[in-house]
Amino acid sequence: MPIGDSIPWTGIRWDDILFVALAAVLLVSAVLVVTLRDIIRCGLALIVSFASLAGIYALLGDPLVAAAQVLVYIGAISVLILFAIMMTQTKNAPTRLVFQTQTLFAGVAAAVIAGVITVTVLATTWPAVGSRLVTATSDVAHKLFGDYVLPFEVVSVLLTAAVVGAVYLARRESARSGEDRP
Amino acid sequence: MSNSLDSYLVLSGLLFAVGVFGFLARRNAISMLMSIELMVNAVNLSILAFGAFVAPLRTHAAVIALLVIAVAAAEATVGLAIVIAIFRNKKTPLVDEYDSMRE
Amino acid sequence: MSAARTTPAEFWSRRSLNQRLALIIVPIAIVAALLTAAIVVLGGPPFLDFLGANLPLVRFFVAATAILMLTIPTAFVLIYLELKVIARMNLRVGPNRVGPWGAAMSVIHGLKVLSKEDFGPTGVDITVFTLAPVVTYLASVMTLLVIPFAPGLVGQDFNIGLLYFFAMGGLTVLGLLMAGWSSFNKYSLLGGLRSAAQIISYEIPLTLSVVGVIILASTKGSGTLSLNHIVLAQSGSAFDWFVFKQPLAALIFLIAATAEANRTPFDMTEADSEIVAGFATEYSGMRFGFFFFAEYVNVFIVSALAATIFFGGWTAPFNWPWPANLNAFHPLTFGLFGWLAIIVTVAVFGTYFFAFFVRIFGGRTWSTWSSVSLGLILNLVVIGGLVTLAGFIALDWVRGLIWFMAKTYAFVIIFVWMRATLPRIRVDQLMGFAWKWLLPASLLNLFVTATAVIILNR
């Protein structure tokens, strides 16, 4: 989504400001997701990180994926997660221990992964890298229902299977044995 | 800064690392699911970043990202259903208390 | 002690209150005026350059602000309309104390809500508790950004407008969930969970029902989700409206939209007789006011979208016969003094013209002053009507706005009518209806539309 070029008398580009702000919000909220004690706040921080990711997608020139991110991730998956949190948590849950005993090793592993990825990315010269382009929605549609029609159908079957499986798993025991529900 | 592929890939790597940390360190099953979502999103971000900067991948990346989002929705549905089913039997969402097979 | 040797303290103590205030305010005002002038002179041109260089950004912020401002009078009008219309349907009078016909009632409501104590019960998670109404309200307001009010009068004409609309509209549920959780109250939590289940379920038929419209709109050339193009695809007469090609989709859309806006008969999330207003149980004051506002803004938005997608948006219901052009009345034609002369003449003569008739037909009961003031009011009403009519004929955006608002408010009245007529349905019936009837019906509609388009285009 092009929004002007740059601030006139400083030469700082709008896109850069937007990118830095969104990336900062994304990383801070992601860290909050994994460190906050109160799990409902973890869920809300997760929503903030999804929203900033949608912003980054729009910045990358993919408004369709950004809208899908908001629609699916925030509108459906986050709500589902909050729903599950509300069904499984009690108010005294945050006072208990939130981390495993292997937290230290987990931190080391995460730091190693971050370091390896960063070094790899910065050390590699990517071939055929041009400047940013904007995706046309109709092109995506033609690809999705042309070249990618088989994955599309497989995903739809997968979603159906997932819905059926979820309904089966989350059903009450009494209903599964055929009794009337209260 | 917003016009280089590297910054997006580094951002995606950092997000992935945060997700790895959360998955390994949290005790709560739903927290672990949220960390998995973070990792999926990191991968999606890198796919879209490649698509945005490499012209031949342009629309492919958007399509693959949409498919990943759909699969992630299925994953979250089943994962949360499993968590709720276990919660109903064990009365706890903490994974280290699911130890009935540890004898 | 002579007057020449007064100390500053004595000088100060002899001044009266007004003089002291003047002594404080006047220097501050002078300094402020000088500073303002300096800022305008020095900073004005670069600032204008800055705005000019970032015109899309400026346009976006202006549109967002205008839309945020628009919601407040809209909510007031809708609240009053609902009170009054439901009252008439119940054979009551409705609000009739504040203002003419009680029209200032909702403004007084708003002031009352504003003046209440900012109160949070014990045990609430105060951050989430405060953020929840804001999320709900902003999620509603942001959807207005893509609604085309008239030709050229749209906040932001996104290529993916319709998808954006549903993405933002789905965020309302987050606010309700946050409110239900943070209230620390079983009823509120039930309301929040109900809202999550209901809105996610009804979002699917809502989104699927408009896919048929998108297919039809794309057959008219433009394969886009932009609401403006969907409106343009319906231009012509009323028979070009998509409601006649997609009657099933329009019905599904209206039912699902009622559920999305949490209106009766689907207001399970509030259900004041079962779970005492659900998510809003613990809310009071302006926090509750935001929920209340969001509900009415939602009604307006849903009506606007129904009018836009299925009833032609700002297009007229028949071919508009006059491509009129009132260039004679262009502001530059007469100049400033010419316009001033015209306005004064019309005001004076019109007032006396109407006052004359009031005096003739009113008889002795009207004094000179009251007949003149009534004449002024009548004159203003007539001139306002004439100016609106001129705009209606001459300017396409005035015409579009009037048609759009007429259609939207027709739907608002239908929603109010439903609230006055239908009882609330049960939770299990609600979910069963969405999954067993609306979803298959919308899929059938999509299938039939796609097949028909393929066959007819062959």
Side-chain angles (χ1 to χ4, degrees):
Chain A
M1 194 165 51
I3 48 156
D5 279 340
S6 59
I7 302 178
W9 60 85
T10 56
I12 305 174
R13 299 183 66 249
W14 280 119
D15 288 4
D16 285 349
I17 295 177
L18 213 56
F19 175 73
V20 169
L22 286 172
V25 171
L26 172 63
L27 284 181
V28 167
S29 58
V31 169
L32 288 182
V33 169
V34 295
T35 52
L36 280 179
R37 299 182 74 82
D38 189 354
I39 187 165
I40 198 88
R41 296 200 172 191
C42 294
L44 297 176
L46 187 72
I47 291 168
V48 174
S49 65
F50 286 159
S52 49
L53 257 178
I56 290 179
Y57 292 167
L59 193 66
L60 273 172
D62 273 308
L64 182 72
V65 182
Q69 170 92 2
V70 174
L71 194 65
V72 177
Y73 266 108
I74 302 182
I77 295 182
S78 298
V79 170
L80 207 62
I81 286 175
L82 289 182
F83 200 96
I85 290 172
M86 289 178 189
M87 284 178 79
T88 55
Q89 304 299 309
T90 49
K91 266 279 174 182
N92 53 16
T95 59
R96 306 174 65 181
L97 210 57
V98 294
F99 288 118
Q100 302 266 23
T101 45
Q102 73 238 24
T103 305
L104 189 63
F105 302 104
V108 171
V112 167
I113 289 177
V116 166
I117 293 180
T118 309
V119 169
T120 316
V121 165
L122 294 181
T124 315
T125 6
W126 302 101
V129 169
S131 56
R132 271 185 306 153
L133 307 157
V134 176
T135 317
T137 310
S138 50
D139 289 352
V140 177
H142 283 125
K143 272 278 187 300
L144 187 58
F145 295 103
D147 297 354
Y148 284 87
V149 72
L150 183 65
F152 177 79
E153 294 297 335
V154 170
V155 164
S156 57
V157 171
L158 174 71
L159 276 174
T160 316
V163 168
V164 173
V167 169
Y168 179 75
L169 280 173
R171 219 155 49 144
R172 288 180 193 279
E173 287 299 326
S174 59
R176 204 178 293 173
S177 57
E179 294 168 24
D180 282 337
R181 273 194 281 174
Chain B
M1 193 163 192
S2 67
N3 224 345
S4 83
L5 178 59
D6 286 358
S7 52
Y8 290 96
L9 290 180
V10 168
L11 180 64
S12 145
L14 292 179
L15 189 61
F16 191 85
V18 171
V20 167
F21 172 76
F23 183 74
L24 292 179
R26 295 295 291 229
R27 286 174 81 212
N28 194 312
I30 297 179
S31 273
M32 293 168 69
L33 272 176
M34 289 199 274
S35 306
I36 294 177
E37 294 298 334
L38 283 183
M39 289 193 269
V40 172
N41 272 291
V43 174
N44 231 354
L45 175 59
S46 68
I47 291 174
L48 281 174
F50 275 119
F53 288 101
V54 184
L57 300 179
R58 182 65 264 196
T59 42
H60 293 271
V63 172
I64 292 172
L66 287 176
L67 293 177
V68 168
I69 286 177
V71 173
E75 171 256 315
T77 317
V78 177
L80 289 172
I82 291 173
V83 169
I84 287 176
I86 297 179
F87 179 79
R88 203 166 275 146
N89 292 327
K90 291 279 181 183
K91 305 292 176 222
T92 173
L94 304 179
V95 281
D96 53 354
E97 294 177 16
Y98 300 159
D99 54 359
S100 49
M101 290 179 76
R102 190 193 261 176
E103 293 311 313
Chain C
M1 191 163 71
S2 68
R5 289 179 54 90
T6 45
T7 60
E10 282 171 355
F11 176 77
W12 186 249
S13 66
R14 282 186 203 149
R15 305 274 81 82
S16 72
L17 186 64
N18 288 343
Q19 286 171 330
R20 286 181 195 176
L21 280 180
L23 276 177
I24 294 172
I25 289 173
V26 167
I28 292 179
I30 291 173
V31 171
L34 287 178
L35 271 180
T36 314
I39 288 173
V40 167
V41 168
L42 294 178
F47 185 66
L48 286 183
D49 283 352
F50 174 68
L51 293 188
N54 298 283
L55 212 54
L57 205 62
V58 173
R59 193 184 181 284
F60 173 79
F61 277 111
V62 168
T65 316
I67 277 158
L68 201 59
M69 293 292 110
L70 173 77
T71 55
I72 296 165
T74 306
F76 280 149
V77 169
L78 256 63
I79 291 169
Y80 171 70
L81 197 71
E82 176 157 286
L83 289 173
K84 202 73 181 174
V85 171
I86 287 189
R88 300 313 302 194
M89 286 177 180
N90 293 351
L91 297 180
R92 289 183 285 119
V93 179
N96 65 345
R97 294 287 147 180
V98 196
W101 301 285
M105 186 71 191
S106 45
V107 181
I108 300 297
H109 259 308
L111 288 178
K112 176 196 77 179
V113 161
L114 261 180
S115 63
K116 278 192 174 178
E117 185 190 351
D118 185 26
F119 176 75
T122 317
V124 301
D125 188 342
I126 198 70
T127 324
V128 183
F129 189 72
T130 312
L131 274 177
V134 179
V135 170
T136 312
Y137 185 64
L138 282 186
S140 305
V141 170
M142 276 160 75
T143 51
L144 267 180
L145 199 64
V146 289
I147 300 270
F149 287 87
L153 205 63
V154 52
Q156 197 80 8
D157 191 11
F158 284 134
N159 188 18
I160 49 157
L162 205 51
L163 203 59
Y164 169 89
F165 186 94
F166 289 123
M168 288 299 150
L171 295 189
T172 316
V173 62
L174 274 183
L176 303 188
L177 263 182
M178 284 161 72
W181 165 264
S182 63
S183 290
F184 199 41
N185 175 333
K186 288 277 186 290
Y187 288 130
S188 300
L189 189 58
L190 271 178
L193 292 180
R194 278 184 180 191
S195 78
Q198 171 185 332
I199 294 187
I200 287 191
S201 301
Y202 275 86
E203 205 163 19
I204 298 165
L206 185 75
T207 315
L208 278 179
S209 69
V210 302
V211 175
V213 169
I214 296 168
I215 292 175
L216 283 184
S218 66
T219 57
K220 294 208 173 182
S222 55
T224 171
L225 296 176
S226 154
L227 284 170
N228 216 7
H229 282 93
I230 292 178
V231 170
L232 284 175
Q234 304 176 64
S235 58
S237 70
F239 296 106
D240 288 321
W241 292 353
F242 284 145
V243 65
F244 295 110
K245 295 170 186 163
Q246 296 273 305
L248 182 61
L251 190 66
I252 294 168
F253 181 87
L254 274 183
I255 295 173
T258 317
E260 281 281 305
N262 290 326
R263 295 283 299 180
T264 325
F266 300 113
D267 60 341
M268 312 305 307
T269 54
E270 312 196 29
D272 29 9
S273 50
E274 306 167 15
I275 51 172
V276 285
F279 63 88
T281 305
E282 301 290 353
Y283 279 86
S284 64
M286 202 51 216
R287 289 187 184 135
F288 177 71
F290 268 115
F291 279 126
F292 202 61
F293 263 39
E295 183 187 339
Y296 286 96
V297 172
N298 256 331
V299 172
F300 179 80
I301 288 169
V302 162
S303 312
L305 192 66
T308 305
I309 294 182
F310 292 107
F311 290 84
W314 41 260
T315 59
F318 42 84
N319 274 320
W320 196 250
W322 307 297
N325 188 357
L326 293 197
N327 264 342
F329 293 100
H330 195 272
L332 296 176
T333 317
F334 299 105
L336 183 62
F337 289 101
W339 277 108
L340 215 59
I342 290 176
I343 288 170
V344 168
T345 319
V346 167
V348 170
F349 277 93
T351 302
Y352 279 104
F353 179 74
F354 284 110
F356 177 71
F357 277 100
V358 169
R359 193 62 190 242
I360 294 287
F361 294 108
R364 289 265 165 211
T365 49
W366 293 88
S367 70
T368 310
W369 271 116
S370 47
S371 55
V372 167
S373 46
L374 189 66
L376 180 65
I377 292 171
L378 282 174
N379 189 23
L380 286 180
V381 169
V382 169
I383 289 177
L386 285 177
V387 167
T388 314
L389 189 66
F392 188 77
I393 294 169
L395 300 171
D396 59 344
W397 66 268
V398 175
R399 193 160 59 227
L401 192 62
I402 289 173
W403 281 120
F404 176 79
M405 284 296 173
K407 289 170 185 173
T408 304
Y409 275 93
F411 278 103
V412 169
I413 299 278
I414 288 177
F415 280 118
V416 173
W417 185 14
M418 275 160 67
R419 175 162 182 170
T421 317
L422 297 173
R424 184 182 308 127
I425 66 173
R426 260 181 12 225
V427 169
D428 55 330
Q429 290 173 334
L430 177 91
M431 304 298 285
F433 184 62
W435 290 102
K436 291 179 194 156
W437 291 99
L438 284 187
L439 182 61
S442 55
L443 285 174
L444 176 74
N445 177 63
L446 175 59
F447 179 71
V448 169
T449 311
T451 315
V453 164
I454 286 176
I455 290 175
L456 290 180
N457 278 4
R458 187 187 287 268

